[in-house]
Amino acid sequence: METEIIKIKRDGPGGSLSDDDLRKIARAGEIIKSGGLVAFPTETVYGLGGNALDPLSSKKIYAAKGRPSDNPLIVHIADFEDIKKIARDVPEEAKKLASVFWPGPLTMILKKKETVPDETTGGLDTVAVRLPSDEIAQKLIESSGGFIAAPSANISGRPSPTEVKYVIEDMNGRIGAIIDGGEGEIGLESTIIDLTINPPQVLRPGFITNEMLGSVLETEVVTDKALITEDSNEKPRAPGMKYRHYAPKGDLTIVSGGDEAVIEEINRMIEKDRAAGFKTAVMVCDENAGRYNADIIKTTGSRNDMKEAAHRLYSLLRFFDDENVERIYSESFETGGFGAALMNRLLKAAGHKIIHL
Ligand code: TXA
Ligand code: MG
């Protein structure tokens, strides 16, 4: 299959789309309407979109990603009112959260209506809904009929793409079109909150933190236990969270502790790796970068700048793959606020391999 690359030039961040851009997006919408797939930018990561109400389109998404079909897809809408067409009831909590966080990086799990095929929800009787803030995404949803099922636009198991070159790497030849809209602002997938249970629970941490959700819902919001315990036997409520994810091809280890001890330990392991002939890399903060002896030194930004680190994480993991790095060491991050989401992804990418000093 020939994949069309559609370049959209925004006039800078928050810049509006030209008539020509809108025409191009409308054409991509037609591809989705007629049962095809289109990758598109969002404020989190690139999505791989198909018509959420068409079982065949969802099947095509699973096939293009090589993803197990029991792992449900998020339905993206562009108008809050459309939620009523796919959710059986819209609880008060959903309205409150939407009024504060939509459009934006929040996904809500609700009871589904029959209109949403089982193929889209992996057989569950609930549906995940998100209203993204990215203007290209919104226009694409509108022009494709209103409901786009979209997982991240990566081959299953690989880091989610935050840059179009990685979408092309994974999806070229497999889908109808790829919309190039530049880099996503946030870089990590949306926060997922399950509103079908009481009290609501976060199934995947993201930019919208438990504290932010709790202050709107006026109750404490906690994260699904199966996510936070490292070797939990509990089954996560978001099926996708059980799969190995975001993993680079090289072996990634996180080292946590005081600065001096971490630097010393990582350098010691690198010496050993080097003696064994491995290519090495570190992923560390700007402040410590000069003190490592790895073949490749990449920084996540200034110490504890979670936003910058999240923005860079997936591209760095992909970069290490491009460079055929075999051993990667990462410093650890504080887990308060947005740091919880960052550490959740980093731990998954490392297969939970972390050394506490
Ligand atoms: O930021 C995002 O959410 C991106 C962009 C493209 O919007 N999308 C994304 O989709 O991350 P995906 O498919 O990579 O991750 C969706 C997650 C999976 O862990 C899946 O198991 C969970 O959402 N999920 C979807 N529907 C669910 C449901 N009904 N109940 C529980 N978990 C659900
Ligand atoms: Mg994904």
Side-chain angles (χ1 to χ4, degrees), residues 336-348:
F338 188 31
L342 181 61
M343 272 312 278
N344 168 265
R345 305 310 196 279
L346 186 59
L347 277 164
K348 280 180 87 84

PDB file of all heavy atoms in Angstrom, residues 336-348:
ATOM      1  N   GLY A 336       6.510  12.719  42.155  1.00  0.00           N
ATOM      2  CA  GLY A 336       5.386  13.621  42.463  1.00  0.00           C
ATOM      3  C   GLY A 336       4.805  14.203  41.190  1.00  0.00           C
ATOM      4  O   GLY A 336       5.506  14.355  40.188  1.00  0.00           O
ATOM      5  N   GLY A 337       3.510  14.522  41.195  1.00  0.00           N
ATOM      6  CA  GLY A 337       2.849  15.212  40.075  1.00  0.00           C
ATOM      7  C   GLY A 337       3.030  14.478  38.757  1.00  0.00           C
ATOM      8  O   GLY A 337       2.831  13.267  38.658  1.00  0.00           O
ATOM      9  N   PHE A 338       3.454  15.202  37.720  1.00  0.00           N
ATOM     10  CA  PHE A 338       3.627  14.650  36.382  1.00  0.00           C
ATOM     11  C   PHE A 338       4.746  13.599  36.364  1.00  0.00           C
ATOM     12  O   PHE A 338       4.802  12.732  35.492  1.00  0.00           O
ATOM     13  CB  PHE A 338       3.942  15.805  35.423  1.00  0.00           C
ATOM     14  CG  PHE A 338       3.971  15.435  33.964  1.00  0.00           C
ATOM     15  CD1 PHE A 338       3.174  14.416  33.453  1.00  0.00           C
ATOM     16  CD2 PHE A 338       4.781  16.132  33.088  1.00  0.00           C
ATOM     17  CE1 PHE A 338       3.204  14.093  32.106  1.00  0.00           C
ATOM     18  CE2 PHE A 338       4.819  15.826  31.739  1.00  0.00           C
ATOM     19  CZ  PHE A 338       4.031  14.803  31.249  1.00  0.00           C
ATOM     20  N   GLY A 339       5.635  13.648  37.375  1.00  0.00           N
ATOM     21  CA  GLY A 339       6.733  12.674  37.469  1.00  0.00           C
ATOM     22  C   GLY A 339       6.218  11.243  37.567  1.00  0.00           C
ATOM     23  O   GLY A 339       6.898  10.303  37.155  1.00  0.00           O
ATOM     24  N   ALA A 340       5.014  11.055  38.107  1.00  0.00           N
ATOM     25  CA  ALA A 340       4.438   9.707  38.233  1.00  0.00           C
ATOM     26  C   ALA A 340       4.250   9.083  36.851  1.00  0.00           C
ATOM     27  O   ALA A 340       4.536   7.900  36.639  1.00  0.00           O
ATOM     28  CB  ALA A 340       3.099   9.766  38.969  1.00  0.00           C
ATOM     29  N   ALA A 341       3.791   9.885  35.898  1.00  0.00           N
ATOM     30  CA  ALA A 341       3.570   9.387  34.536  1.00  0.00           C
ATOM     31  C   ALA A 341       4.912   9.081  33.871  1.00  0.00           C
ATOM     32  O   ALA A 341       5.087   8.038  33.230  1.00  0.00           O
ATOM     33  CB  ALA A 341       2.806  10.421  33.716  1.00  0.00           C
ATOM     34  N   LEU A 342       5.860   9.977  34.068  1.00  0.00           N
ATOM     35  CA  LEU A 342       7.183   9.807  33.471  1.00  0.00           C
ATOM     36  C   LEU A 342       7.840   8.516  33.981  1.00  0.00           C
ATOM     37  O   LEU A 342       8.342   7.704  33.200  1.00  0.00           O
ATOM     38  CB  LEU A 342       8.019  11.036  33.843  1.00  0.00           C
ATOM     39  CG  LEU A 342       9.429  11.119  33.327  1.00  0.00           C
ATOM     40  CD1 LEU A 342       9.452  11.115  31.812  1.00  0.00           C
ATOM     41  CD2 LEU A 342      10.100  12.391  33.853  1.00  0.00           C
ATOM     42  N   MET A 343       7.823   8.311  35.300  1.00  0.00           N
ATOM     43  CA  MET A 343       8.440   7.111  35.864  1.00  0.00           C
ATOM     44  C   MET A 343       7.676   5.849  35.459  1.00  0.00           C
ATOM     45  O   MET A 343       8.265   4.791  35.257  1.00  0.00           O
ATOM     46  CB  MET A 343       8.539   7.213  37.394  1.00  0.00           C
ATOM     47  CG  MET A 343       9.811   7.880  37.888  1.00  0.00           C
ATOM     48  SD  MET A 343      11.337   7.245  37.134  1.00  0.00           S
ATOM     49  CE  MET A 343      11.642   5.778  38.096  1.00  0.00           C
ATOM     50  N   ASN A 344       6.348   5.947  35.341  1.00  0.00           N
ATOM     51  CA  ASN A 344       5.547   4.804  34.888  1.00  0.00           C
ATOM     52  C   ASN A 344       6.022   4.324  33.517  1.00  0.00           C
ATOM     53  O   ASN A 344       6.253   3.126  33.296  1.00  0.00           O
ATOM     54  CB  ASN A 344       4.064   5.214  34.857  1.00  0.00           C
ATOM     55  CG  ASN A 344       3.175   4.210  34.128  1.00  0.00           C
ATOM     56  OD1 ASN A 344       2.903   4.375  32.951  1.00  0.00           O
ATOM     57  ND2 ASN A 344       2.761   3.156  34.818  1.00  0.00           N
ATOM     58  N   ARG A 345       6.251   5.262  32.577  1.00  0.00           N
ATOM     59  CA  ARG A 345       6.677   4.877  31.224  1.00  0.00           C
ATOM     60  C   ARG A 345       8.124   4.394  31.229  1.00  0.00           C
ATOM     61  O   ARG A 345       8.466   3.433  30.552  1.00  0.00           O
ATOM     62  CB  ARG A 345       6.548   6.039  30.248  1.00  0.00           C
ATOM     63  CG  ARG A 345       5.183   6.691  30.157  1.00  0.00           C
ATOM     64  CD  ARG A 345       4.031   5.729  29.961  1.00  0.00           C
ATOM     65  NE  ARG A 345       2.834   6.423  29.518  1.00  0.00           N
ATOM     66  CZ  ARG A 345       2.009   7.072  30.326  1.00  0.00           C
ATOM     67  NH1 ARG A 345       2.206   7.121  31.635  1.00  0.00           N
ATOM     68  NH2 ARG A 345       0.935   7.685  29.851  1.00  0.00           N
ATOM     69  N   LEU A 346       8.965   5.087  32.004  1.00  0.00           N
ATOM     70  CA  LEU A 346      10.382   4.721  32.035  1.00  0.00           C
ATOM     71  C   LEU A 346      10.536   3.315  32.614  1.00  0.00           C
ATOM     72  O   LEU A 346      11.301   2.491  32.090  1.00  0.00           O
ATOM     73  CB  LEU A 346      11.148   5.755  32.870  1.00  0.00           C
ATOM     74  CG  LEU A 346      12.669   5.630  32.898  1.00  0.00           C
ATOM     75  CD1 LEU A 346      13.272   5.724  31.499  1.00  0.00           C
ATOM     76  CD2 LEU A 346      13.287   6.723  33.789  1.00  0.00           C
ATOM     77  N   LEU A 347       9.790   3.023  33.688  1.00  0.00           N
ATOM     78  CA  LEU A 347       9.861   1.692  34.301  1.00  0.00           C
ATOM     79  C   LEU A 347       9.392   0.618  33.337  1.00  0.00           C
ATOM     80  O   LEU A 347       9.985  -0.459  33.236  1.00  0.00           O
ATOM     81  CB  LEU A 347       9.010   1.650  35.578  1.00  0.00           C
ATOM     82  CG  LEU A 347       9.699   2.190  36.831  1.00  0.00           C
ATOM     83  CD1 LEU A 347       8.684   2.463  37.934  1.00  0.00           C
ATOM     84  CD2 LEU A 347      10.763   1.203  37.334  1.00  0.00           C
ATOM     85  N   LYS A 348       8.326   0.909  32.590  1.00  0.00           N
ATOM     86  CA  LYS A 348       7.831  -0.078  31.619  1.00  0.00           C
ATOM     87  C   LYS A 348       8.864  -0.293  30.514  1.00  0.00           C
ATOM     88  O   LYS A 348       9.100  -1.422  30.094  1.00  0.00           O
ATOM     89  CB  LYS A 348       6.497   0.373  31.030  1.00  0.00           C
ATOM     90  CG  LYS A 348       5.337   0.080  31.965  1.00  0.00           C
ATOM     91  CD  LYS A 348       4.029   0.521  31.380  1.00  0.00           C
ATOM     92  CE  LYS A 348       3.399  -0.518  30.513  1.00  0.00           C
ATOM     93  NZ  LYS A 348       2.605  -1.529  31.146  1.00  0.00           N
TER      94      LYS A 348
END
